């Protein structure tokens, strides 16, 4: 079965950086676009970024463009999210997401992991 396991969350001061990672299993990783989404307290799920199957193309929502970088390793079957210049409004649970085959860039995920908490506070 599909498994997505996030790591790397924590408490960080405004302006600092954090890197999230996601280990995957249970599906042919190289065939699927992968994404990161997040959910802030009392808010809905927000799409952040998607990366193509070959890792050469990515798309971002406007609020993280220029600050966050999504990447993938098709050998290790992992994806990462480098988050820079973090702000309190970035506080949320962050989820690694598998999109369905042929999904559009910001389509709702087919699967997501259990999530990792990121808290940005001084």
């Amino acid at each position: 079965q599909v498994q997505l396991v996030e790591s790397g969350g924590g408490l960080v001061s405004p302006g600092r950086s954090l890197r999230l990672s996601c280990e995957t299993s249970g599906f042919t990783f190289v065939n699927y676009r992968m994404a990161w989404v997040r959910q802030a307290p009392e808010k809905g799920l927000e799409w952040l970024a998607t990366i193509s199957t070959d890792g050469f193309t990515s798309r971002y929502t406007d609020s993280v463009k220029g600050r966050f970088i999504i990447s993938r390793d098709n050998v290790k079957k992992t994806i990462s999210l480098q988050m820079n210049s973090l702000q309190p409004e970035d506080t949320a649970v962050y989820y690694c997401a598998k999109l369905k085959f042929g999904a559009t860039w910001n389509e709702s995920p087919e699967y997501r992991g259990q999530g990792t908490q990121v808290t940005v506070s001084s």
Side-chain angles (χ1 to χ4, degrees), residues 2 4 27-35 50-51 53 72 97-112:
V2 173
L4 308 170
F27 63 102
T28 305
F29 182 76
V30 70
N31 287 350
Y32 294 88
R33 290 177 176 175
M34 298 293 294
T50 296
I51 190 164
T53 54
R72 69 189 291 160
K98 172 189 174 294
L99 305 186
K100 69 180 182 184
F101 187 80
T104 59
W105 291 102
N106 60 349
E107 193 165 318
S108 294
E110 183 180 30
Y111 294 94
R112 53 187 168 109

Side-chain angles (χ1 to χ4, degrees), residues 2-118:
V2 173
Q3 291 195 342
L4 308 170
V5 180
E6 302 93 341
S7 62
L11 173 64
V12 63
S13 300
R16 303 300 294 268
S17 298
L18 208 58
R19 185 178 180 87
L20 306 181
S21 297
C22 174
E23 296 185 356
T24 77
S25 62
F27 63 102
T28 305
F29 182 76
V30 70
N31 287 350
Y32 294 88
R33 290 177 176 175
M34 298 293 294
W36 287 95
V37 298
R38 70 184 178 189
Q39 188 163 21
E42 301 181 2
K43 292 191 176 180
L45 203 62
E46 178 186 18
W47 168 76
L48 299 178
T50 296
I51 190 164
S52 61
T53 54
D54 61 9
F56 290 123
T57 304
S58 55
R59 297 285 189 272
Y60 299 88
T61 193
D62 285 348
S63 62
V64 307
K65 200 175 295 182
R67 298 191 300 127
F68 290 11
I69 301 171
I70 188 173
S71 59
R72 69 189 291 160
D73 185 326
N74 282 347
V75 174
K76 295 182 179 178
K77 301 180 183 180
T78 61
I79 68 167
S80 297
L81 186 68
Q82 177 66 39
M83 304 187 295
N84 302 318
S85 302
L86 284 162
Q87 300 301 319
E89 51 267 32
D90 294 316
T91 295
V93 178
Y94 283 70
Y95 299 92
C96 167
K98 172 189 174 294
L99 305 186
K100 69 180 182 184
F101 187 80
T104 59
W105 291 102
N106 60 349
E107 193 165 318
S108 294
E110 183 180 30
Y111 294 94
R112 53 187 168 109
Q114 292 299 306
T116 185
Q117 175 70 46
V118 172

